Amino acid sequence: MLKFIPLLLWLHSQMAWGVGPDRLMLSTQEWPPYQSYSEDQISGLAVSRVKCVLRQMEQPYQLTMTNWAKAQLNVQNGVQHGFFITEKTPERDRYAVFSKPMISHHWYWYYSNALTDTSISDINKLKWKVSAKFGSQKWFYLHNNGYDVVKKPRNMKNLLDMLLHNEVDAILVDELAMQVELKRKGMTPNSFRNRLVATKPMGVYFNKRFVNRYPGFMEEFNQAVGSCSEQ
């Protein structure tokens, strides 16, 4: 399990009165290439874009990297102001407000090289053994759509190993995260057949009580997102 890693990242500047708190508290998870932790630094595609937005807002902040369940629970309970980067879901909408999308998230099937028929059909849905990161939206999607979901992999390394050893017929993963793991293994991006399933927008969720307390914050945050899309 990923250890709790508090990391303070400050912007020493003044902000407009009433727009946001003295220090914005955000949580995230280890999920390369979106968020990663190395040498006392949190970095990655999503981190760069969030930093860009907060820099434009002149908003001081603190990032905390922890496990994904705790990141969400801390926002739900009001311990933290927000968490990122994530998809919009009805469950999260009950206690938090979704920002303007910051990144497009591509769901892909990656197929075992032992699988002969990769066509999407009701028959194959019943025959295939599949998996996704345990507790993720992809995991719940597979369960809710009648797939035979096996094991409870906690990260991309476990998922790729399952595919390499033909323990599953297919895995449902984020395209960029899969490419990072393939590179770590010394494998090429086309080592497995794959198919695009869906494209999902991802952004930052902010606690509803926080948004009500700082009514100008979301508007400024969303305005800054557009100019930070290439960070």
Side-chain angles (χ1 to χ4, degrees):
M1 181 180 293
L2 183 66
K3 294 182 178 179
F4 177 78
I5 307 171
L7 191 67
L8 303 184
L9 297 165
W10 296 97
L11 292 175
H12 299 286
S13 57
Q14 298 297 316
M15 60 183 296
W17 175 258
V19 173
D22 292 337
R23 180 176 60 179
L24 182 69
M25 310 287 286
L26 297 178
S27 289
T28 189
Q29 64 169 332
E30 177 88 8
W31 188 26
Y34 301 105
Q35 301 97 218
S36 59
Y37 177 80
S38 178
E39 299 179 354
D40 297 328
Q41 294 289 327
I42 294 178
S43 60
L45 177 60
V47 174
S48 295
R49 294 188 182 178
V50 169
K51 284 183 181 180
C52 175
V53 169
L54 298 178
R55 184 166 57 246
Q56 290 198 26
M57 295 176 66
E58 299 185 336
Q59 170 65 63
Y61 61 92
Q62 174 180 321
L63 301 185
T64 299
M65 183 170 283
T66 184
N67 67 69
W68 194 226
K70 187 170 184 178
Q72 296 173 80
L73 184 61
N74 282 344
V75 173
Q76 187 172 0
N77 293 338
V79 176
Q80 298 272 306
H81 298 130
F83 63 89
F84 71 94
I85 191 89
T86 186
E87 300 167 24
K88 190 177 190 298
T89 68
E91 180 184 39
R92 293 164 182 158
D93 287 341
R94 288 199 290 267
Y95 62 88
V97 179
F98 191 66
S99 74
K100 183 177 179 179
M102 306 180 78
I103 295 173
S104 291
H105 171 47
H106 304 296
W107 290 17
Y108 266 78
W109 279 120
Y110 278 79
Y111 302 107
S112 165
N113 287 327
L115 187 66
T116 55
D117 180 8
T118 62
S119 61
I120 305 297
S121 67
D122 290 339
I123 293 177
N124 282 339
K125 181 186 290 188
L126 296 173
K127 288 170 53 179
W128 290 351
K129 294 187 180 302
V130 303
S131 197
K133 183 180 177 182
F134 177 65
S136 68
Q137 292 305 307
K138 301 174 200 66
W139 170 270
F140 291 116
Y141 168 85
L142 293 175
H143 276 281
N144 294 337
N145 284 275
Y147 286 94
D148 182 9
V149 186
V150 299
K151 299 191 176 182
K152 297 180 179 180
R154 306 282 176 163
N155 52 51
M156 282 301 309
K157 179 182 182 302
N158 292 341
L159 280 165
L160 179 53
D161 286 343
M162 290 166 62
L163 202 61
L164 283 168
H165 299 145
N166 297 321
E167 296 173 12
V168 289
D169 295 302
I171 57 175
L172 186 59
V173 296
D174 171 78
E175 179 192 22
L176 292 183
M178 182 65 167
Q179 296 305 315
V180 168
E181 195 58 38
L182 286 169
K183 186 176 181 180
R184 285 178 177 173
K185 287 274 193 182
M187 303 175 70
T188 63
N190 59 353
S191 295
F192 298 95
R193 292 161 296 168
N194 57 72
R195 184 196 303 266
L196 177 64
V197 176
T199 297
K200 309 276 188 176
M202 295 198 297
V204 182
Y205 261 113
F206 292 98
N207 176 278
K208 283 186 175 180
R209 293 188 297 276
F210 165 78
V211 172
N212 291 334
R213 183 176 180 182
Y214 299 98
F217 180 88
M218 286 299 298
E219 182 179 357
E220 284 211 10
F221 187 94
N222 287 335
Q223 285 179 351
V225 166
S227 58
C228 292
S229 61
E230 299 303 320
Q231 293 296 312

